[in-house]
Amino acid sequence: QVQLVESGGGLVQAGGSLRLSCAASGLTFSNYTMAWFRQAPWKEREFVAAISWIGQRTYYSDSVKGRFTVSRDNAENTLYVQMNSLKPEDTAVYYCAASSGTGIVVTRVSYHYWGQGTQVTVSS
């Protein structure tokens, strides 16, 4: 049974930083492209960042490029995102997701497994 469990969310002031983690189990983690998505209230779930299976490639949405850094530790089956210079518009539930494809993909339908999400709230 595949499980993705996010942690590290919380309340932070604008300009602050958070690091989210996603612990994976029940799958061969290193075979999966991993990604972060987020969903703000009354909005569609949107792509944030993705990292290829051994971390050689990353891709970011324009809204977080230069502020967020996605990484992974295949030995620990864990995905991370370091979020710096946070803005109130970054407030959302953040989800990690796994895709069995080998390339970087940004669409929700390309991801087969999802975590339950962790709340990030950025106050102004």
Short mmCIF file of all heavy atoms in Angstrom, two decimals, residues 37-67:
data_model
loop_
_atom_site.label_atom_id
_atom_site.label_comp_id
_atom_site.label_asym_id
_atom_site.label_seq_id
_atom_site.Cartn_x
_atom_site.Cartn_y
_atom_site.Cartn_z
N PHE A 37 2.20 19.94 -5.24
CA PHE A 37 1.07 20.72 -5.71
C PHE A 37 0.52 21.49 -4.51
O PHE A 37 0.84 21.17 -3.36
CB PHE A 37 -0.03 19.82 -6.29
CG PHE A 37 0.29 19.24 -7.63
CD1 PHE A 37 1.18 18.19 -7.77
CD2 PHE A 37 -0.33 19.72 -8.78
CE1 PHE A 37 1.48 17.64 -9.01
CE2 PHE A 37 -0.06 19.17 -10.03
CZ PHE A 37 0.85 18.14 -10.13
N ARG A 38 -0.31 22.46 -4.78
CA ARG A 38 -0.96 23.17 -3.68
C ARG A 38 -2.38 23.56 -4.10
O ARG A 38 -2.68 23.71 -5.29
CB ARG A 38 -0.17 24.40 -3.27
CG ARG A 38 -0.12 25.50 -4.30
CD ARG A 38 0.81 26.62 -3.85
NE ARG A 38 0.88 27.73 -4.80
CZ ARG A 38 1.71 28.74 -4.69
NH1 ARG A 38 2.57 28.82 -3.66
NH2 ARG A 38 1.71 29.71 -5.60
N GLN A 39 -3.21 23.73 -3.09
CA GLN A 39 -4.59 24.13 -3.34
C GLN A 39 -5.02 25.15 -2.31
O GLN A 39 -5.07 24.86 -1.11
CB GLN A 39 -5.52 22.92 -3.30
CG GLN A 39 -6.94 23.24 -3.74
CD GLN A 39 -7.75 22.00 -4.03
OE1 GLN A 39 -7.38 20.88 -3.63
NE2 GLN A 39 -8.86 22.14 -4.74
N ALA A 40 -5.29 26.35 -2.79
CA ALA A 40 -5.79 27.43 -1.95
C ALA A 40 -7.31 27.33 -1.89
O ALA A 40 -7.94 26.73 -2.77
CB ALA A 40 -5.36 28.77 -2.51
N PRO A 41 -7.92 27.94 -0.88
CA PRO A 41 -9.39 27.91 -0.77
C PRO A 41 -10.05 28.42 -2.04
O PRO A 41 -9.64 29.44 -2.60
CB PRO A 41 -9.67 28.82 0.42
CG PRO A 41 -8.43 28.74 1.24
CD PRO A 41 -7.30 28.62 0.26
N TRP A 42 -11.04 27.67 -2.51
CA TRP A 42 -11.86 28.02 -3.68
C TRP A 42 -11.06 28.08 -4.97
O TRP A 42 -11.50 28.69 -5.95
CB TRP A 42 -12.58 29.36 -3.45
CG TRP A 42 -13.34 29.36 -2.17
CD1 TRP A 42 -14.44 28.61 -1.88
CD2 TRP A 42 -13.03 30.12 -0.98
NE1 TRP A 42 -14.85 28.86 -0.59
CE2 TRP A 42 -14.00 29.78 -0.02
CE3 TRP A 42 -12.06 31.04 -0.66
CZ2 TRP A 42 -14.02 30.31 1.25
CZ3 TRP A 42 -12.08 31.58 0.61
CH2 TRP A 42 -13.04 31.23 1.54
N LYS A 43 -9.89 27.44 -4.99
CA LYS A 43 -9.10 27.41 -6.21
C LYS A 43 -8.78 25.98 -6.60
O LYS A 43 -8.86 25.06 -5.78
CB LYS A 43 -7.80 28.20 -6.03
CG LYS A 43 -8.00 29.71 -5.89
CD LYS A 43 -6.67 30.43 -5.93
CE LYS A 43 -6.87 31.94 -5.90
NZ LYS A 43 -5.58 32.67 -5.95
N GLU A 44 -8.42 25.82 -7.86
CA GLU A 44 -8.00 24.51 -8.35
C GLU A 44 -6.63 24.13 -7.77
O GLU A 44 -5.81 25.01 -7.45
CB GLU A 44 -7.89 24.53 -9.88
CG GLU A 44 -9.20 24.73 -10.60
CD GLU A 44 -10.06 23.49 -10.54
OE1 GLU A 44 -9.50 22.38 -10.67
OE2 GLU A 44 -11.28 23.62 -10.35
N ARG A 45 -6.38 22.84 -7.64
CA ARG A 45 -5.07 22.38 -7.23
C ARG A 45 -4.08 22.70 -8.34
O ARG A 45 -4.33 22.39 -9.51
CB ARG A 45 -5.10 20.89 -6.93
CG ARG A 45 -3.85 20.39 -6.24
CD ARG A 45 -4.02 18.93 -5.80
NE ARG A 45 -5.12 18.78 -4.85
CZ ARG A 45 -5.37 17.64 -4.20
NH1 ARG A 45 -4.61 16.58 -4.39
NH2 ARG A 45 -6.40 17.57 -3.37
N GLU A 46 -2.95 23.30 -7.98
CA GLU A 46 -1.99 23.73 -9.00
C GLU A 46 -0.60 23.15 -8.75
O GLU A 46 -0.22 22.90 -7.61
CB GLU A 46 -1.90 25.26 -9.03
CG GLU A 46 -1.35 25.90 -7.78
CD GLU A 46 -1.12 27.40 -7.92
OE1 GLU A 46 -1.42 27.98 -8.97
OE2 GLU A 46 -0.61 28.00 -6.95
N PHE A 47 0.11 22.99 -9.84
CA PHE A 47 1.48 22.48 -9.79
C PHE A 47 2.41 23.52 -9.16
O PHE A 47 2.28 24.71 -9.43
CB PHE A 47 1.95 22.17 -11.22
CG PHE A 47 3.40 21.86 -11.33
CD1 PHE A 47 3.87 20.59 -11.04
CD2 PHE A 47 4.31 22.83 -11.72
CE1 PHE A 47 5.22 20.30 -11.14
CE2 PHE A 47 5.66 22.55 -11.83
CZ PHE A 47 6.11 21.28 -11.54
N VAL A 48 3.34 23.04 -8.33
CA VAL A 48 4.32 23.92 -7.70
C VAL A 48 5.73 23.59 -8.19
O VAL A 48 6.45 24.46 -8.70
CB VAL A 48 4.25 23.80 -6.16
CG1 VAL A 48 5.38 24.58 -5.51
CG2 VAL A 48 2.90 24.24 -5.65
N ALA A 49 6.14 22.32 -8.03
CA ALA A 49 7.51 21.94 -8.37
C ALA A 49 7.58 20.44 -8.56
O ALA A 49 6.79 19.70 -7.97
CB ALA A 49 8.48 22.37 -7.28
N ALA A 50 8.54 20.00 -9.38
CA ALA A 50 8.74 18.57 -9.60
C ALA A 50 10.22 18.27 -9.69
O ALA A 50 11.03 19.15 -10.02
CB ALA A 50 8.03 18.12 -10.87
N ILE A 51 10.56 17.01 -9.41
CA ILE A 51 11.94 16.56 -9.46
C ILE A 51 11.96 15.17 -10.05
O ILE A 51 11.13 14.32 -9.72
CB ILE A 51 12.58 16.61 -8.06
CG1 ILE A 51 14.07 16.28 -8.12
CG2 ILE A 51 11.85 15.71 -7.07
CD1 ILE A 51 14.82 16.64 -6.84
N SER A 52 12.90 14.94 -10.95
CA SER A 52 12.99 13.65 -11.62
C SER A 52 13.50 12.58 -10.66
O SER A 52 13.95 12.86 -9.56
CB SER A 52 13.88 13.76 -12.84
OG SER A 52 15.15 14.23 -12.47
N TRP A 53 13.50 11.34 -11.14
CA TRP A 53 13.66 10.19 -10.26
C TRP A 53 14.98 10.13 -9.51
O TRP A 53 15.02 9.64 -8.38
CB TRP A 53 13.43 8.90 -11.04
CG TRP A 53 14.27 8.74 -12.26
CD1 TRP A 53 14.23 9.49 -13.40
CD2 TRP A 53 15.27 7.75 -12.50
NE1 TRP A 53 15.13 9.04 -14.31
CE2 TRP A 53 15.79 7.97 -13.79
CE3 TRP A 53 15.78 6.70 -11.73
CZ2 TRP A 53 16.79 7.17 -14.33
CZ3 TRP A 53 16.76 5.91 -12.27
CH2 TRP A 53 17.27 6.16 -13.56
N ILE A 54 16.08 10.63 -10.06
CA ILE A 54 17.31 10.68 -9.27
C ILE A 54 17.73 12.12 -9.01
O ILE A 54 18.85 12.38 -8.61
CB ILE A 54 18.46 9.89 -9.93
CG1 ILE A 54 18.75 10.39 -11.35
CG2 ILE A 54 18.17 8.40 -9.92
CD1 ILE A 54 20.01 9.79 -11.95
N GLY A 55 16.80 13.04 -9.22
CA GLY A 55 17.05 14.43 -8.87
C GLY A 55 17.87 15.21 -9.86
O GLY A 55 18.31 16.32 -9.56
N GLN A 56 18.05 14.67 -11.05
CA GLN A 56 18.90 15.37 -12.00
C GLN A 56 18.20 16.54 -12.68
O GLN A 56 18.86 17.42 -13.24
CB GLN A 56 19.44 14.40 -13.06
CG GLN A 56 18.43 13.90 -14.07
CD GLN A 56 17.67 12.67 -13.58
OE1 GLN A 56 17.34 12.56 -12.41
NE2 GLN A 56 17.40 11.74 -14.47
N ARG A 57 16.87 16.55 -12.60
CA ARG A 57 16.12 17.65 -13.21
C ARG A 57 15.04 18.13 -12.26
O ARG A 57 14.41 17.34 -11.56
CB ARG A 57 15.47 17.21 -14.52
CG ARG A 57 16.45 17.07 -15.68
CD ARG A 57 15.71 16.64 -16.93
NE ARG A 57 15.20 15.29 -16.82
CZ ARG A 57 14.18 14.80 -17.51
NH1 ARG A 57 13.53 15.58 -18.35
NH2 ARG A 57 13.80 13.56 -17.37
N THR A 58 14.84 19.43 -12.25
CA THR A 58 13.77 20.04 -11.48
C THR A 58 13.01 21.01 -12.35
O THR A 58 13.53 21.48 -13.38
CB THR A 58 14.30 20.78 -10.24
OG1 THR A 58 15.25 21.78 -10.67
CG2 THR A 58 14.96 19.83 -9.26
N TYR A 59 11.80 21.30 -11.94
CA TYR A 59 10.97 22.24 -12.69
C TYR A 59 10.03 22.93 -11.71
O TYR A 59 9.53 22.30 -10.78
CB TYR A 59 10.16 21.50 -13.77
CG TYR A 59 9.43 22.42 -14.70
CD1 TYR A 59 10.09 23.07 -15.73
CD2 TYR A 59 8.05 22.64 -14.56
CE1 TYR A 59 9.42 23.93 -16.58
CE2 TYR A 59 7.37 23.49 -15.41
CZ TYR A 59 8.05 24.13 -16.42
OH TYR A 59 7.39 24.97 -17.26
N TYR A 60 9.84 24.24 -11.92
CA TYR A 60 9.05 25.04 -11.00
C TYR A 60 7.99 25.84 -11.75
O TYR A 60 8.19 26.26 -12.89
CB TYR A 60 9.96 26.01 -10.24
CG TYR A 60 11.02 25.34 -9.42
CD1 TYR A 60 12.26 25.05 -9.95
CD2 TYR A 60 10.77 24.98 -8.09
CE1 TYR A 60 13.24 24.42 -9.20
CE2 TYR A 60 11.75 24.36 -7.33
CZ TYR A 60 12.98 24.08 -7.90
OH TYR A 60 13.94 23.46 -7.15
N SER A 61 6.91 26.11 -11.06
CA SER A 61 5.95 27.06 -11.60
C SER A 61 6.55 28.46 -11.53
O SER A 61 7.43 28.72 -10.70
CB SER A 61 4.64 27.01 -10.81
OG SER A 61 4.83 27.52 -9.51
N ASP A 62 6.08 29.32 -12.38
CA ASP A 62 6.61 30.68 -12.40
C ASP A 62 6.38 31.39 -11.07
O ASP A 62 7.20 32.24 -10.66
CB ASP A 62 5.96 31.48 -13.52
CG ASP A 62 6.45 31.07 -14.90
OD1 ASP A 62 7.50 30.40 -14.98
OD2 ASP A 62 5.77 31.38 -15.89
N SER A 63 5.32 31.05 -10.38
CA SER A 63 4.97 31.75 -9.14
C SER A 63 5.93 31.46 -7.98
O SER A 63 5.99 32.23 -7.03
CB SER A 63 3.55 31.41 -8.73
OG SER A 63 3.42 30.02 -8.49
N VAL A 64 6.68 30.36 -8.07
CA VAL A 64 7.59 30.01 -6.97
C VAL A 64 9.05 29.96 -7.40
O VAL A 64 9.94 29.80 -6.54
CB VAL A 64 7.19 28.66 -6.33
CG1 VAL A 64 5.73 28.66 -5.93
CG2 VAL A 64 7.50 27.49 -7.24
N LYS A 65 9.31 30.08 -8.67
CA LYS A 65 10.68 29.98 -9.17
C LYS A 65 11.56 31.03 -8.51
O LYS A 65 11.19 32.20 -8.38
CB LYS A 65 10.68 30.18 -10.69
CG LYS A 65 11.94 29.75 -11.40
CD LYS A 65 11.79 29.92 -12.90
CE LYS A 65 10.66 29.09 -13.46
NZ LYS A 65 10.52 29.24 -14.93
N GLY A 66 12.72 30.57 -8.03
CA GLY A 66 13.64 31.47 -7.34
C GLY A 66 13.42 31.57 -5.85
O GLY A 66 14.26 32.09 -5.12
N ARG A 67 12.28 31.08 -5.37
CA ARG A 67 11.98 31.12 -3.93
C ARG A 67 11.90 29.72 -3.32
O ARG A 67 12.23 29.52 -2.15
CB ARG A 67 10.65 31.83 -3.69
CG ARG A 67 10.61 33.27 -4.17
CD ARG A 67 9.33 33.97 -3.75
NE ARG A 67 8.14 33.36 -4.33
CZ ARG A 67 7.13 32.85 -3.61
NH1 ARG A 67 7.16 32.89 -2.30
NH2 ARG A 67 6.07 32.32 -4.22
#
